[in-house]
Every structure is written in structure tokens, then in C-alpha cells.
Amino acid sequence: MEKKKKVRKYEFEGVTLNIPLYYDKKADMYIEAYPDFTETPVWTKDGHPIMFSGEDACPYSEWSEPGRCMDCGSCLHYTPVAHHTLIGVCRHAKRRRGSAGKEKDADKDGDEAEAGHGSDKIRNRIN
């Protein structure tokens, strides 16, 4: 009998993401295996890109302290999905799909993607 793979499902802002989990023996826990959101962009229904918090900061990043943001997770425009995940949404207007200079062909329907982030209506569960 084939063992069922574990996933954590996130539903938010018109998007459903299924994040695979793998068991880490050293940590003795399941860990999310995040997709490359820069290679395969996923967008909310309002056109905001979903990002991994460790992704290098973009030219639009802003930090609350003097200096430069190192990654998305330290940017003022980044909103995490939940406290236990490293994925979130970039809220900068120039990163929004349809803004000048942004790709307009990625995941136009904003429905379901295999691969989550931060809003007031978020549900997640482990299968």
C-alpha cells in the first residue's frame, strides 16, 4: 500500500495552495517544502504576488530601520500567511500583477496552485 503524502493546505484571498510536507529526522518534525514562487509565480485574486520570506529583497523593499532589507520577510510590504509558515504576500503596488513592468501572464485565474500567506480569512490544515 502506497503511503499518502502529507500536505498543508492554505486558503486565502481566492487562492488555494497545497504545500508538501516532508519529515526531517534531525528536527523530528514535518517541515514545509516551499515551491519557487519566482520560477512559478502565484497571485492572489487582487494581483498580489505570493512570496517565500527568505527570497532576496526586491528594489521596492522598505524596512522600518535605517538600512536595506535583506529578504522579503523583513520588508514592510510583506504579510505572512500564518505564524508557522514562511510564505506571505507582497503588498507593494509596483509588484502587483498588471502594474507597469510586471508579468501579466502568470496564473491569471488566481484559483488553485500546488506548491501559501497573510490575510484575515485564512484556513490551513494538514492532510
Side-chain angles (χ1 to χ4, degrees):
M1 185 161 113
E2 188 176 325
K3 187 176 180 180
K4 186 177 176 183
K5 293 185 178 189
K6 291 188 179 285
V7 297
R8 183 168 284 144
K9 184 175 186 174
Y10 292 95
E11 297 176 354
F12 58 94
E13 297 185 39
V15 176
T16 299
L17 292 176
N18 294 304
I19 306 295
L21 300 173
Y22 71 93
Y23 186 76
D24 185 290
K25 290 179 183 177
K26 288 183 181 179
D28 191 29
M29 62 188 282
Y30 283 93
I31 297 176
E32 294 179 336
Y34 302 109
D36 186 341
F37 291 115
T38 58
E39 281 281 318
T40 309
V42 178
W43 308 85
T44 67
K45 69 177 182 173
D46 293 330
H48 297 288
I50 297 168
M51 305 296 293
F52 170 65
S53 66
E55 191 65 46
D56 290 342
C58 74
Y60 308 116
S61 64
E62 294 181 54
W63 199 31
S64 60
E65 303 286 327
R68 180 180 161 319
C69 281
M70 297 306 290
D71 55 34
C72 290
S74 61
C75 181
L76 293 174
H77 301 289
Y78 179 84
T79 306
V81 175
H83 70 279
H84 62 271
T85 190
L86 298 175
I87 48 181
V89 175
C90 176
R91 304 263 179 218
H92 196 286
K94 291 186 179 178
R95 294 288 317 252
R96 195 170 183 182
R97 184 173 59 201
S99 297
K102 284 308 295 169
E103 305 144 34
K104 295 183 181 182
D105 59 348
D107 191 27
K108 288 194 182 348
D109 59 351
D111 287 338
E112 185 154 338
E114 289 292 326
H117 130 35
S119 85
D120 53 338
K121 287 190 170 184
I122 189 165
R123 292 180 282 163
N124 72 68
R125 66 172 196 259
I126 297 176
N127 293 333

